[in-house]
Amino acid sequence: MNRVAVLQSSYIPWKGYFDIIHDVDEFIFYDDVQYTKNDWRNRNKVKCSSGTQWLTIPVQSSNASLICEVMLPETNWNVKHMKTIEALYSKAPYFKKYKDFLEYVYMERSWNSLSELNQYLITSISSEFLGVSTDFKDSREYKSEGNKLDRLLDLLSKSKADLYVSGPAAKDYIDSTRFEEQGIELVYKNYDNYPEYNQFHPPFEHYVSIFDVLFHTGPDASYFIWGWREDEN
């Protein structure tokens, strides 16, 4: 059975994003669709003393831009993000474990597009730090056709998906009968009951960047994303 998920790339996404990646055999970045402003593509939250704060890349885009067409600005946003992350998390138990990676991403390497940066961060964190063996693809490889749901179904057909894992928010607009007609099992991800860990600045906040769980739990990060379910079974 080929289990597939299709999601737009996001900037340092929360643990639930990686939970979906772990659930599938093939994860397809869906970045040849319209870029949406004030969304998760170019920003995410980190924990701070007042609760949470945004880390936002100030990209220049129009409503007509595809995600893969959004270029990164030639400003010092990367330096600001590195300084903010270090200021908020340098005292976390495992921050030093990931510091070389952070310096490479934010201080050493140059990035042309938002999609390039996002995909690198997600694939590297998944394979290097969370031990995920999922195969990553880009939707442009499949040259899918149609609009909205038709295009998604065409993409799943071309990727030979038997099962499609979707985020729960899609229940509001996905027509499940279309998947049945195409012989693809539709499964909605459940984000309930993630365990808490020792996090700075209570109360606990689940909806923050993956960096939070990595810096606080290190090699045990995968347990707090999906491993805990195995203990319950």
Side-chain angles (χ1 to χ4, degrees):
M1 173 176 285
N2 188 29
R3 301 165 298 172
V4 177
V6 180
L7 283 174
Q8 298 164 0
S9 70
S10 296
Y11 178 54
I12 50 173
W14 81 301
K15 59 193 172 189
Y17 193 105
F18 293 88
D19 200 2
I20 285 184
I21 291 173
H22 172 262
D23 280 352
V24 298
D25 304 296
E26 181 176 321
F27 183 91
I28 302 174
F29 289 110
Y30 203 20
D31 283 359
D32 56 345
V33 295
Q34 184 175 324
Y35 173 80
T36 48
K37 292 183 178 180
N38 301 319
D39 211 335
W40 301 105
R41 310 289 79 76
N42 70 313
R43 64 178 188 168
N44 223 297
K45 292 181 178 182
V46 287
K47 202 77 169 68
C48 64
S49 58
S50 60
T52 60
Q53 72 178 68
W54 289 102
L55 279 181
T56 302
I57 303 174
V59 298
Q60 297 296 321
S61 68
S62 69
N63 289 331
S65 297
L66 303 181
I67 296 169
C68 57
E69 296 172 341
V70 177
M71 297 293 107
L72 294 180
E74 295 182 4
T75 63
N76 64 344
W77 70 267
N78 52 318
V79 177
K80 290 180 180 178
H81 283 208
M82 180 68 194
K83 287 182 176 179
T84 299
I85 292 167
E86 192 161 15
L88 294 174
Y89 288 107
S90 61
K91 294 182 180 179
Y94 296 96
F95 178 81
K96 290 182 180 178
K97 174 180 173 67
Y98 305 101
K99 191 173 182 181
D100 287 348
F101 174 74
L102 294 173
E103 290 183 342
Y104 173 73
V105 170
Y106 289 106
M107 308 301 292
E108 297 173 15
R109 181 165 169 176
S110 297
W111 305 96
N112 294 317
S113 71
L114 179 64
S115 181
E116 179 190 20
L117 170 65
N118 286 349
Q119 291 193 26
Y120 178 83
L121 281 163
I122 292 165
T123 56
S124 297
I125 290 170
S126 296
S127 60
E128 295 178 28
F129 305 139
L130 297 176
V132 173
S133 59
T134 299
D135 187 22
F136 289 94
K137 296 289 183 65
D138 190 297
S139 57
R140 288 170 286 181
E141 298 176 40
Y142 290 106
K143 297 179 172 60
S144 55
E145 300 173 343
N147 293 311
K148 297 184 178 179
L149 186 54
D150 288 335
R151 187 178 183 194
L152 174 61
L153 288 167
D154 185 53
L155 177 58
L156 292 172
S157 176
K158 289 176 176 174
S159 65
K160 296 180 170 53
D162 299 302
L163 183 148
Y164 173 60
V165 179
S166 172
K171 286 182 181 180
D172 295 336
Y173 59 85
I174 280 186
D175 180 359
S176 60
T177 61
R178 297 287 305 280
F179 288 82
E180 294 172 10
E181 291 167 358
Q182 200 159 306
I184 298 173
E185 183 180 352
L186 173 61
V187 174
Y188 290 105
K189 184 64 184 174
N190 185 346
Y191 295 137
D192 294 341
N193 301 320
Y194 284 122
E196 296 183 3
Y197 47 87
N198 291 326
Q199 183 187 67
F200 291 155
H201 314 302
F204 192 90
E205 176 58 62
H206 288 285
Y207 297 97
V208 289
S209 166
I210 185 65
F211 284 162
D212 192 87
V213 66
L214 288 174
F215 297 156
H216 284 298
T217 68
D220 294 325
S222 62
Y223 172 83
F224 292 94
I225 306 173
W226 59 76
W228 60 274
R229 295 190 185 95
E230 297 172 6
D231 287 354
E232 288 191 341
N233 297 331

